Amino acid sequence: QVQLVESGGGLVQPGGSLRLSCVASGSIFSILHMNWYRQAPGKERELVSSITSIGSTIYADSVKGRFTISRDNAKNTVYLQMYNLKPEDTAVYYCRTDVNFVAVWGRGTLVTVSS
């Protein structure tokens, strides 16, 4: 069974950077399509970025050019590098994958962008 654990959130000033990490348990990480979602206060959860098993990526329009998703299969880890953070990026960031058509979520890591 795959479990996901996020880390790397925190408080950062506008224009700052953070790198989020999501570590997956188990031995099938390399074949998993991995996703980062976020949920801001009072808003619905939204897809931020995805990376396939072969490294193809997609991004939400709101983060294109500022965020980069990557993966290290040797470490069972997917990363979200965030640059030029804005107050509207404040949210809980979640890692998600699907195993046998069942969604697996991490517990999230809070990112707060504020001066």
Side-chain angles (χ1 to χ4, degrees):
Q1 183 176 356
V2 175
Q3 294 182 323
L4 304 174
V5 179
E6 303 96 334
S7 63
L11 174 63
V12 62
Q13 292 186 342
S17 301
L18 280 176
R19 188 177 79 158
L20 306 183
S21 300
C22 170
V23 179
S25 64
S27 60
I28 62 170
F29 177 80
S30 64
I31 66 170
L32 295 176
H33 184 126
M34 300 299 299
N35 310 277
W36 283 101
Y37 282 74
R38 68 185 181 186
Q39 187 166 18
K43 295 188 176 181
E44 294 187 355
R45 196 170 295 189
E46 63 175 354
L47 178 65
V48 175
S49 184
S50 296
I51 185 166
T52 69
S53 59
I54 60 171
S56 298
T57 59
I58 62 168
Y59 296 92
D61 287 344
S62 58
V63 306
K64 279 182 182 176
R66 301 189 298 120
F67 290 12
T68 301
I69 191 170
S70 62
R71 64 191 298 156
D72 184 338
N73 289 340
K75 295 182 178 181
N76 277 18
T77 302
V78 60
Y79 302 99
L80 187 67
Q81 178 68 57
M82 306 184 293
Y83 298 101
N84 189 21
L85 283 160
K86 304 176 180 180
E88 52 263 42
D89 295 317
T90 294
V92 178
Y93 285 71
Y94 298 91
C95 187
R96 170 188 166 163
T97 191
D98 295 275
V99 180
N100 295 327
F101 307 106
V102 176
V104 178
W105 292 90
R107 298 183 68 176
T109 186
L110 176 62
V111 173
T112 303
V113 185
S114 175
S115 54

